[in-house]
Structure formats: structure tokens, C-alpha cells
Amino acid sequence: MQAHVSIILPVHNAEPWLDECLRSVLQQDFEGTMELSVFNDASKDKSGAIIEKWRVKLEDSGVHVIIGGHDSLSPRGVGYSKNQAVAQSSGSYLCFLDSDDVMMPQRVRLQHQAAVQHPSSIVGCRVRRDPPNSTERYTRWINQLTPEQLLTQGVPEDLLFFYEHLRKGGGVVRVDQSLLLYRYHPRAATHSVLETTIWTHRVRFLEEQALPRWAAFTIWNAGKQGRRLYRSLTAASQRKVVAFCDVDENKIRKGFYCHEDSQERPKPRIPILHFRAARPPFVICVKLDLTGGAFEDNLRSLHLQEGQDFLHFS
């Protein structure tokens, strides 16, 4: 029988966390039909035995369990494992779960309700971190994103899937309850993605989805991140940059940024202005929640509309 919701669980050497993860599947209060689709990606620890132990408990409680996997010498990666778990599943809705995370009992029920109301959207939720003091600023940031910022600022681990979903006209919504305990540890899959890879995809998406709407724009941050963004843009996008802006008097006093690696002659010299002298739209390369509210106050003082007059790239 086809399940209404399939929980998609990729597993690789997850022995320390798997019991708690699978217990959280058993404790879901969702009343529809539910299955667990596990793909074991060449685990060399006791993950396989733990999965088999919980298969019996889950199926006794009415949750059908599908187990796939391989025992090659090396894993094929979390993306491959998720795709295999999806391929072997039967659910009308997919609920993705990492093997080192824990779901709150209401997660599937509440996110399923949101998915029914927003059938073309990816459904997220607020999260808690374990340990609680790890990545505090990041956790606070993702939990406070507005509905509009979910589209412009969200940086999910599955970046290519997320961007392709948006390209096809899909949306993003969030259940504003903490439904997931998100563990932070050195072996987490997130750490395996190169920062430069994520940066490159984000820049391309910015150029594809946002910059075509603007004939010219200002980069807010004349420091390292702002200059890095400028250098990462295509030549056509660079020509749209009319200024950098900042609050640092030393940068402003310098007067301009010269792109020394440019093939153009003369080399581009981009003015550096105080933010109040600069004109929107802005691409903001200032990380939020790092200046004691000073940056946020400056931005609010301009009475701009996010998405139209500015967007964040930070």
C-alpha cells in the first residue's frame, strides 16, 4: 500500500545518533500512513544492526520500513543516498531526515498540514541546535528569516535542489515551531561541502534571478566580502556596479576600489561612498546580527523594501 508520507533517511556510520533518530520516527503523532525509507551508504559501524532492530519496532507500530544500501569500500555520498531512498519510497509527500538529527513528535503532522496548504512549496521549520551553544548566531538567523528572506537569504545544504525548485516556480514556507533538533559535530555532512562551491552557486543564482531586474546597483560593504562578490561576478554584472558603500571612514576616504585583475583598460575604479550617499538598489554583503544592531538600524533608517530596493548576500 502506498504511504502518504515517506521519511527519507540516508545513513553512513551513524551509530552514535541512530537510536535517538529512529525513536523520534516512532514517536510521531501523524495519523496518516507513514513509511521510513532508509539507504545505508556503506556503513562500517553497527548502523545496519540498529536499523534492523528499529525496523521491527516501527513495523509493529504501523510504519512500513524499506531498507536499501550497499557495502562498497567507500560511501557514495549523502546526495546519492537521498536519491536512492527517494527512488525506493512510495509516499505522496517526502520528509527528509538526517541520521544525526531528532524530530519533535509533531513534525510530520505539522509540516504535512503546511504542505497540503502550499502544494508547490518546500516546507521548512524552526530548529534547535545540539549542543545548544553551537552556531548560536546562525541558528538565530535561520529561525528569524521572514517569508521573503526564505527565498533571498536561505542557504540550505541541498543548494542545487533548492535553486532548481525556485527556477521552476516553487515556493518556500516555514512552520514557525521548533520541530527538529539539529546536531552540530565535526562529522556532519555539511562540513563536506566546500565553501567555495557554495559561494559559486550562490553568485550564479544571484546573477540569474536578481540582477537582471536591475540596470545598476551598489554593493554594501567595501571590505573583503564585498570585493570578493564584485570579483566573482561576470564582466556584464560588474559593469552594473556603480559604487560600494560602507560606514568605515578609512575605506570611504580612499575613494575607490580598483579591480587590478580586470582585463579592461583602464582598469575599473569603483567609487566607495558612505551608505547615506549611495543609491539603491543594494546587494548587502554584511552579515546580520554581528554589529550590536548598528547595521540593522542603518538599513532601517533608509526605509527600503527588501527584494525591490535591496537583498542580502551575506
Side-chain angles (χ1 to χ4, degrees), residues 50-67:
I50 296 171
I51 292 166
E52 286 295 337
K53 176 185 72 175
W54 280 96
R55 180 183 63 80
V56 176
K57 296 180 181 180
L58 287 161
E59 293 200 331
D60 284 348
S61 71
V63 179
H64 180 50
V65 179
I66 307 144
I67 301 173

Side-chain angles (χ1 to χ4, degrees), residues 35 41 53 173 179 181 193 215-216 222 241 250 255 265 269 294 304:
E35 71 180 14
D41 188 20
K53 176 185 72 175
V173 299
L179 302 179
L181 181 67
V193 183
V241 179
N250 290 327
R265 295 294 182 271
R269 291 159 64 99
L304 303 176

Side-chain angles (χ1 to χ4, degrees), residues 16-159:
W17 313 284
L18 205 45
D19 275 315
E20 196 173 358
C21 174
L22 293 171
R23 184 177 294 109
S24 76
V25 175
L26 183 66
Q27 293 174 341
Q28 291 301 299
D29 63 13
F30 178 64
E31 294 183 352
T33 55
M34 192 168 68
E35 71 180 14
L36 174 68
S37 180
V38 183
F39 190 83
N40 189 353
D41 188 20
S43 294
K44 301 297 187 274
D45 61 2
K46 296 178 182 177
S47 292
I50 296 171
I51 292 166
E52 286 295 337
K53 176 185 72 175
W54 280 96
R55 180 183 63 80
V56 176
K57 296 180 181 180
L58 287 161
E59 293 200 331
D60 284 348
S61 71
V63 179
H64 180 50
V65 179
I66 307 144
I67 301 173
H70 68 99
D71 56 2
S72 303
L73 291 177
S74 58
R76 295 175 187 169
V78 65
Y80 174 85
S81 301
K82 285 181 180 179
N83 287 338
Q84 295 302 114
V86 169
Q88 69 190 18
S89 70
S90 70
S92 303
Y93 294 87
L94 304 178
C95 177
F96 290 91
L97 176 64
D98 291 336
S99 57
D100 54 355
D101 294 338
V102 178
M103 299 191 289
M104 301 303 105
Q106 66 272 34
R107 182 197 178 192
V108 171
R109 173 173 56 85
L110 293 180
Q111 289 192 303
H112 173 260
Q113 289 175 1
V116 170
Q117 294 170 357
H118 304 274
S120 63
S121 290
I122 294 173
V123 179
C125 65
R126 296 183 188 270
V127 302
R128 291 188 292 117
R129 274 293 210 185
D130 182 41
N133 61 348
S134 60
T135 65
E136 288 181 89
R137 191 191 69 84
Y138 173 78
T139 304
R140 187 164 56 248
W141 170 64
I142 60 173
N143 282 337
Q144 292 177 353
L145 290 175
T146 66
E148 294 77 18
Q149 289 169 337
L150 290 172
L151 298 175
T152 61
Q153 291 191 47
V155 190
E157 180 184 347
D158 303 294
L159 200 61

Side-chain angles (χ1 to χ4, degrees), residues 157-181:
E157 180 184 347
D158 303 294
L159 200 61
L160 295 180
F161 172 77
F162 179 79
Y163 282 166
E164 190 61 26
H165 170 74
L166 296 181
R167 288 185 182 104
K168 293 181 182 299
V172 184
V173 299
R174 181 182 63 206
V175 175
D176 284 328
Q177 293 190 38
S178 181
L179 302 179
L180 197 64
L181 181 67

